[in-house]
Amino acid sequence: MKKEDYMLRAINLAKKAKFHTNPNPRVGCVIVKNNKVIGEGYHKKYGGAHAEVNAIKNCLKKFGSKKGKQLLKDSQVYVTLEPCSIKSKTPPCTNTLLEIMPKEVYCASLDPNKKINGNGVKILRKSGIKVEVGILKKKAIEMNKDFFFKHKNDKPYVRVKIAQTIDGKIALKNGKSKWITSKEARKNVQLLRIQSDAVLIGSNTLIKDNPRLNIRDVKVFKQPISIVLGNTHSAKKNMNIFKDNKKVIFANNYEKTELNQNFTNNLSFIKLTKKNSLNDLLKKLSKYDLNSILVEGGSKIFTSFISKNLADEIIFFISPKFLGKDSIDALSLESPLSIANTNNYIIDSTEMVGEDIKLVLKKN
């Protein structure tokens, strides 16, 4: 097998974690000796052992402690991301590798985290281990694109999800919207929530719909954080958003109210500047270690993110229904002075989901 084959095997291993590692990246590791795989593993969930540790354990389990250690020495290690060199919830993986002293370590990519970037490679090379970086780099980065985006831009990747009719409406005039899209489309939204670290709505959506914003029907290790943007003075303790013991963040230009302070221990507040409040929000969310945010509503929120060019990806679920001119528009964007001044997105994918069309747009 070629180096690329072993790295592809490591990438496919990493994908088995799905999105249980968030906000950590998905990482896979394959250990080779004499052109044979002697151990493999992946980072299974946030807070758990990293890929390198699981691959070493796999080798020791298969061959026993004595023979396993002999095989691990002077082996070749293929890992989809630079081994971490800092202690967090687990010890540094560089320390673990130095204990077995492989001959070569192949990394698909450096870690974009500024605390690690390049340091893991330096530590290994300094100890006499040959390190090569870049095998299947694009595939490895694409697998963890939210993680890479967050560390490169110091803000989370923003997906805006809009469920609308074919005439661009998201609700009737009275605010009722259940259900515009099909059951299959609503299940697909659950998958979007699984890959997101937080789900954001506006305060109007909170008051009108009383959503839970949780992941249902799928076993997950933790629920995404709920973020409510806008005037939350009408929020009540018994609302659905507080029922899953997950973290909730209220973000607005107002001071904390005495009522809100007593809601739950998991409630946090972000005070925003009135100027560039969305940019301010994304920057302040960096301390919550979020790689991505799913924006779910409503119309004012959709319009704000898109008009300010802060939507990195827009996902439309388009139902073959018509609600008419008096219903609520999905967007109320200002008209540009010329077509050349429009926000330009490209169509990334289209597919049928139940009776609806799923259209994914990404920044050009």
Side-chain angles (χ1 to χ4, degrees):
M1 290 175 70
K2 297 179 180 178
K3 293 177 183 178
E4 289 79 7
D5 296 322
Y6 291 124
M7 189 62 77
L8 183 60
R9 183 165 177 163
I11 288 172
N12 289 333
L13 275 170
K15 289 178 178 178
K16 292 174 70 173
K18 298 182 179 178
F19 295 97
H20 296 313
T21 65
N22 287 0
N24 285 351
R26 292 181 286 175
V27 182
C29 179
V30 171
I31 305 177
V32 178
K33 186 71 171 283
N34 300 324
N35 298 315
K36 292 183 179 180
V37 174
I38 61 170
E40 58 185 12
Y42 63 98
H43 182 34
K44 294 183 179 180
K45 65 177 182 177
Y46 178 71
H50 286 191
E52 297 93 326
V53 173
N54 285 331
I56 291 169
K57 286 181 177 178
N58 177 248
C59 176
L60 297 175
K61 184 178 179 180
K62 284 198 298 185
F63 297 100
S65 179
K66 185 177 180 180
K67 186 178 180 181
K69 288 178 180 178
Q70 291 174 347
L71 288 170
L72 289 168
K73 184 174 173 57
D74 293 327
S75 62
Q76 293 83 41
V77 175
Y78 293 82
V79 61
T80 58
L81 190 69
E82 174 184 13
C84 65
S85 54
I86 58 173
K87 182 179 180 181
S88 53
K89 290 185 176 295
T90 59
C93 290
T94 48
N95 289 5
T96 304
L97 291 175
L98 291 178
E99 288 176 5
I100 66 167
M101 283 305 293
K103 183 178 180 180
E104 298 159 346
V105 173
Y106 298 96
C107 310
S109 171
L110 294 179
D111 193 317
N113 186 335
K114 295 180 180 67
K115 295 178 181 178
I116 299 172
N117 186 262
N119 290 328
V121 168
K122 287 179 183 177
I123 290 169
L124 296 177
R125 284 175 175 163
K126 191 175 180 180
S127 298
I129 298 171
K130 178 186 173 183
V131 182
E132 182 180 326
V133 180
I135 300 173
L136 300 186
K137 180 178 178 179
K138 288 185 178 179
K139 286 182 180 291
I141 291 176
E142 178 61 25
M143 177 175 63
N144 289 307
K145 66 179 183 179
D146 294 358
F147 175 78
F148 276 83
F149 181 93
K150 178 264 181 85
H151 285 285
K152 181 180 178 181
N153 298 280
D154 293 320
K155 64 178 182 177
Y157 188 86
V158 175
R159 291 180 178 86
V160 173
K161 185 274 296 182
I162 303 175
Q164 64 170 58
T165 60
I166 202 164
D167 58 342
K169 308 295 180 179
I170 60 171
L172 294 169
K173 187 178 180 179
N174 61 11
K176 291 184 178 180
S177 60
K178 294 184 178 180
W179 294 105
I180 283 178
T181 53
S182 63
K183 183 178 180 180
E184 292 82 1
R186 298 195 296 277
K187 282 186 177 180
N188 198 278
V189 171
Q190 291 294 305
L191 297 178
L192 292 177
R193 288 182 181 178
I194 288 172
Q195 72 181 86
S196 304
D197 297 313
V199 179
L200 184 148
I201 58 171
S203 54
N204 287 340
T205 300
L206 175 70
I207 304 306
K208 288 180 180 178
D209 296 349
N210 190 22
R212 197 151 183 167
L213 300 184
N214 65 337
I215 297 167
R216 300 181 290 275
D217 305 323
V218 180
K219 182 181 178 181
V220 292
F221 292 104
K222 61 176 182 173
Q223 292 286 343
I225 292 172
S226 296
I227 303 171
V228 182
L229 183 60
N231 189 337
T232 52
H233 291 176
S234 300
K236 296 179 174 62
K237 293 181 181 180
N238 62 351
M239 284 186 149
N240 290 330
I241 201 170
F242 300 114
K243 290 184 177 179
D244 291 296
N245 197 34
K246 64 180 182 295
K247 184 178 285 294
V248 178
I249 299 172
F250 285 172
N252 52 47
N253 304 127
Y254 315 102
E255 296 294 338
K256 300 179 188 178
T257 66
E258 189 174 320
L259 172 66
N260 288 344
Q261 289 179 32
N262 296 319
F263 272 15
T264 169
N265 291 331
N266 287 330
L267 178 62
S268 300
F269 292 84
I270 294 179
K271 179 77 184 310
L272 302 176
T273 58
K274 291 185 178 180
K275 186 178 181 181
N276 297 325
S277 58
L278 285 184
N279 273 303
D280 187 36
L281 172 65
L282 293 178
K283 288 180 181 178
K284 288 179 176 177
L285 284 173
S286 62
K287 76 172 186 176
Y288 291 92
D289 207 15
L290 307 177
N291 293 333
S292 64
I293 295 174
L294 180 64
V295 178
E296 289 204 11
S299 178
K300 288 183 180 178
I301 299 294
F302 296 152
T303 299
S304 295
F305 273 94
I306 294 172
S307 65
K308 296 182 187 305
N309 201 29
L310 295 174
D312 301 297
E313 188 174 317
I314 308 173
I315 303 156
F316 289 95
F317 289 92
I318 304 171
S319 164
K321 298 182 177 74
F322 295 87
L323 291 188
K325 65 178 183 179
D326 292 329
S327 296
I328 299 173
D329 291 316
L331 298 167
S332 55
L333 297 166
E334 295 289 335
S335 297
L337 296 176
S338 69
I339 292 177
N341 291 333
T342 59
N343 288 341
N344 197 8
Y345 287 81
I346 59 172
I347 297 175
D348 183 69
S349 65
T350 58
E351 64 175 303
M352 293 298 299
V353 180
E355 63 184 24
D356 307 312
I357 297 173
K358 181 183 179 182
L359 173 64
V360 180
L361 305 181
K362 293 185 178 178
K363 280 186 177 178
N364 195 353

